[in-house]
Amino acid sequence: MEKLSDPYTIRYPQIVAVADESGGLVELVEFFDCTGGAMWVKRHYAQSPLVRSVRTVGSTNRYLLSTGSADLALEGSVFPAGIAAVAVEEGEIAVTYRGLGGGGVGASVCRAGARGVVRCVSDPAGGGRLAGSTVWLPRLERVIVGIDDTDTPEEGATWTLAHNIARAVEDDRSRYLSHTIVQLYPVPYRTKNCVAIACEFATSDPEGLIRNYRDLLEEYTLSDETGMAVWRGFDPSPLEEFGCRVKRGEVSADDLAALDSEHLSVVMDGRGVIGAVAAIPFYTRYEEALALWNGSG
């Protein structure tokens, strides 16, 4: 049996942050290893004035944060830990955590050693003390890659190829955050299940990420009708109306051409590009994404 090298610390595997163009909103993505600790944090951090919302996606908690600072009226058991400050500083995002007792351990040393942290200032923690830390993270950009039509009736599966390429292109500049299968309206020319895929990244190298993803997709797709589309930006909700239409019924290439957004680009323009674009606004919205809307809403 191995001895415990650090029995009172559980380090977060990774922390990532993306900001909107104005620098007023930040999504903080914390990868966790201890589910119980993550659920405790989710419950209590939600009380912080700067936290607009929090949700769990896979093995991550995602906090939508306003920038600024706030006094936390911390109280044991009631409000024992939270986020006290968020700042967007040129190419970095600074997040300040505070907590009491075990919440102070989580707010300090547990986050200070996470992958993705550029630097930090951390208090001694443990026992019943108030403790915390400020961590600085790279300011990253959200990129969502939509994919459709990579297989044939004989072989292949778009959802597996999209995920495997996303893993392959991940590096220190581009972190793979999520994979969402989006059920589309079952058009007659589908392979079988008629789904498209949205792969989400946080990156400091969007051009390189997109180029690498496209190169692998072109190499491994089995279809001549593959579509790949990319959204670069904090919030893809401008595509939601189009995505809903593609889930409800057949949509034409002219409908796609009518979309006008500087954040959206078509990278591979096969017939599958309609589904690729439609998948993007449903990223991490799994219940809606997987629902079959058979034309009646």
Side-chain angles (χ1 to χ4, degrees):
M1 181 183 299
E2 293 185 9
K3 289 188 175 294
L4 300 178
S5 60
D6 197 353
Y8 289 105
T9 300
I10 299 175
R11 286 183 170 80
Y12 281 73
Q14 182 177 192
I15 303 176
V16 170
V18 296
D20 71 351
E21 291 181 335
S22 72
L25 284 177
V26 169
E27 185 169 53
L28 180 69
V29 182
E30 296 188 334
F31 290 73
F32 56 78
D33 181 56
C34 175
T35 304
M39 296 304 103
W40 186 93
V41 166
K42 177 183 178 182
R43 175 179 176 83
H44 291 298
Y45 279 29
Q47 301 177 80
S48 305
L50 299 178
V51 176
R52 293 192 173 197
S53 65
V54 56
R55 60 198 179 107
T56 301
V57 179
S59 59
T60 67
N61 277 340
R62 294 181 174 224
Y63 301 87
L64 182 61
L65 306 173
S66 299
T67 54
S69 60
D71 292 328
L72 303 183
L74 298 182
E75 180 182 351
S77 301
V78 178
F79 182 20
I83 293 175
V86 181
V88 177
E89 306 166 345
E90 296 183 357
E92 293 183 334
I93 296 172
V95 181
T96 299
Y97 305 85
R98 291 285 182 266
L100 297 170
V105 174
S108 56
V109 64
C110 291
R111 287 182 170 84
R115 180 182 182 184
V117 173
V118 176
R119 64 186 187 281
C120 70
V121 176
S122 182
D123 299 328
R129 287 183 287 184
L130 170 66
S133 67
T134 297
V135 300
W136 283 265
L137 307 161
R139 179 179 180 174
L140 302 180
E141 176 181 334
R142 193 188 323 275
V143 170
I144 306 171
V145 178
I147 301 295
D148 195 15
D149 201 342
T150 69
D151 51 5
T152 72
E154 291 75 33
E155 57 182 331
T158 298
W159 74 276
T160 55
L161 179 61
H163 173 77
N164 289 332
I165 293 176
R167 282 287 184 222
V169 300
E170 187 176 27
D171 57 26
D172 288 339
R173 293 172 296 177
S174 298
R175 309 309 301 165
Y176 177 29
L177 298 183
S178 70
H179 173 286
T180 305
I181 298 174
V182 181
Q183 177 66 59
L184 306 177
Y185 181 78
V187 293
Y189 45 83
R190 68 189 185 276
T191 304
K192 181 58 68 175
N193 291 319
C194 203
V195 299
I197 310 300
C199 290
E200 177 201 10
F201 298 85
T203 182
S204 61
D205 180 27
E207 291 85 2
L209 167 67
I210 295 165
R211 181 177 61 252
N212 291 339
Y213 201 108
R214 179 205 62 208
D215 289 349
L216 288 176
L217 185 59
E218 288 178 340
E219 179 177 354
Y220 289 104
T221 184
L222 301 172
S223 170
D224 294 329
E225 294 292 347
T226 299
M228 174 179 169
V230 174
W231 178 271
R232 290 181 55 181
F234 191 76
D235 178 13
S237 60
L239 299 180
E240 185 165 354
E241 180 182 358
F242 179 82
C244 289
R245 289 174 61 196
V246 179
K247 283 178 69 67
R248 288 194 173 99
E250 191 167 350
V251 172
S252 72
D254 289 340
D255 296 318
L256 174 61
L259 292 177
D260 182 21
S261 174
E262 63 181 358
H263 298 284
L264 177 67
S265 59
V266 171
V267 180
M268 295 175 65
D269 63 355
R271 186 173 58 197
V273 71
I274 292 174
V277 172
I280 289 171
F282 291 98
Y283 84 104
T284 72
R285 295 164 55 182
Y286 296 104
E287 293 299 321
E288 294 170 276
L290 293 171
L292 175 61
W293 299 353
N294 61 5
S296 60

